Amino acid sequence: MSTDLFGVRVLDLDHERRRVRFRVFVVYYEPSWGTDDLLPNDPSFFFRVLWEGADDIHGRNGGLLADLVGLDEFLDEAWVDRHTHLFVAGVERVTTRNHPLDGDAWNRLAMFYYERDGGWQDENLLAQGDYDVEVADPRCLAPLRLGQSWGTTSYETKAVEAVDVETEHAALAAGGDTRSAFMLGWFRQEAGDVAGAAAAYRQAAGTQDLEERAKALLYLGNLRAEQGDSQAARAAYEEAVACQGPSRSGDRRHVSRAALRLGALLQGGGAEVQA
């Protein structure tokens, strides 16, 4: 089992202001690190925390980040540093407690603290800070719950200033990378380029991974539905639902989401039995 470095708790959610307040506990104490600033400060850490809060490996609901960022990207430090600005608009530490540590800290603190039932032993003694994190897209907050707590092995790296990652993904997609094609579809959809987004999602649907294919078709169906083209939306959802074979991950959530969207579309059109 990996050793947690920090504990995270959701203290407040403000979807209208696109803000979440996290409490971050230091739960790993290595004397050789000294007693100075043990709390994270870089936005890259909070991107990782938001991704964990959206990812099903922790038993939580999927969301925008879980769709856009796969495990391979999450574990790639360079990818995280170059993409953090797309999701984290700002970070402010508003409160600290027991920080920085005093010289007697090593006598009263254990080396490791693991999360148990949403808490940590001796929480009142742990170095901790409260942070207001502003996200670029309120959908990043959708999977989070007030009071939600978890231990994390995530750490901060160095997020770079805004860079043109869309052009990078376009180049990779042109070379046949279906993961980048999906990201490109999202970029173009956000920019209002419906035709470009549809083409990118269609390319992304060319993957051999059935769940990734279902995800691309789900997004394509959603795009068509938003434009009022129910016939094209239905066709995309039906393709997604047909992705029933074995997937690499064994995951079926995108197929299920497409089935729900298809059912709602059919019901709205009066096809109750098919729905």
Side-chain angles (χ1 to χ4, degrees), residues 5-11 20-29 37-42 45-47 49-50 52 91-99 120 123 125-133 148-152 154-156:
L5 301 176
F6 300 98
V8 180
R9 179 171 295 142
V10 179
L11 296 183
V20 55
R21 177 165 291 184
F22 287 119
R23 178 162 294 168
V24 178
F25 302 92
V26 179
V27 299
Y28 181 99
Y29 294 90
D37 199 354
L38 300 180
L39 287 167
N41 295 290
D42 195 84
F45 173 80
F46 295 95
F47 167 84
V49 165
L50 287 165
E52 288 178 331
V91 175
E92 179 185 5
R93 189 196 295 178
V94 295
T95 305
T96 57
R97 300 175 189 82
N98 308 321
H99 188 268
W120 290 266
E123 275 191 17
L125 301 180
L126 303 181
Q128 56 196 268
D130 295 350
Y131 298 80
D132 282 344
V133 179
Q148 178 181 348
S149 302
W150 68 95
T152 179
S154 287
Y155 51 90
E156 64 179 356

Side-chain angles (χ1 to χ4, degrees), residues 4 21 29 36 43 50 62 76 79 86 90 93 95 101 108 118 126 135 140 188 191 208 213 250 269:
D4 292 337
R21 177 165 291 184
Y29 294 90
D36 292 331
L50 287 165
D76 184 334
W79 196 99
L86 297 175
R93 189 196 295 178
T95 305
L101 299 178
R108 65 176 181 272
L126 303 181
V135 297
C140 293
R188 290 177 173 172
Q208 296 301 306
R213 173 175 166 79

